[in-house]
Amino acid sequence: MIFITAKFRVLPEHADAWPEITRDFTRATRAEAGCLWFDWSRSVEDPNEYVLVEAFRDDAAEAHVTSAHFTEAKRTLPAYLAETPRVVNASVPQDDWSPLGELAVED
């Protein structure tokens, strides 16, 4: 799978509304056949920073970045951002989350 984590620093006046601002983009991406997950989190240290954790089947990532909703996001979302998002992108040989054995919960 293609595993992507990106940090978005949102302008302070738009930070609280970011989930609403990105709602259509998020819904459309989650509906893509190759999307494994697409989840936003807000930083507990910086209320203007959101972290996006997403994963796609290897052959689906290109379809995502060429989709109509991605094209629309490229056009509209930068107006709400304080800086260019930062990203980590890697191919990993799995298709789901693995258990964190060091913090295993006993049954």
Side-chain angles (χ1 to χ4, degrees):
M1 74 178 164
I2 305 295
F3 184 82
I4 303 161
T5 303
K7 289 187 174 190
F8 290 74
R9 185 168 308 282
V10 179
L11 291 167
E13 62 269 26
H14 300 296
D16 288 341
W18 186 250
E20 177 65 24
I21 291 166
T22 60
R23 181 172 35 129
D24 291 342
F25 175 58
T26 298
R27 284 183 180 164
T29 301
R30 288 177 177 166
E32 292 176 25
C35 181
L36 299 173
W37 58 81
F38 192 87
D39 298 319
W40 293 97
S41 297
R42 194 172 193 178
S43 171
V44 296
E45 294 179 2
D46 181 352
N48 299 323
E49 183 175 80
Y50 284 82
V51 176
L52 176 60
V53 179
E54 55 186 302
F56 297 90
R57 287 190 199 91
D58 289 344
D59 58 350
E62 186 171 341
H64 170 62
V65 298
T66 59
S67 68
H69 54 274
F70 192 87
T71 299
E72 178 69 6
K74 289 191 306 184
R75 187 183 68 75
T76 60
L77 295 184
Y80 301 97
L81 299 174
E83 64 185 32
T84 300
R86 294 161 289 145
V87 65
V88 175
N89 182 334
S91 293
V92 294
Q94 60 192 74
D95 61 2
D96 202 353
W97 293 92
S98 299
L100 180 60
E102 294 82 0
L103 295 178
V105 176
E106 299 293 325
D107 290 335

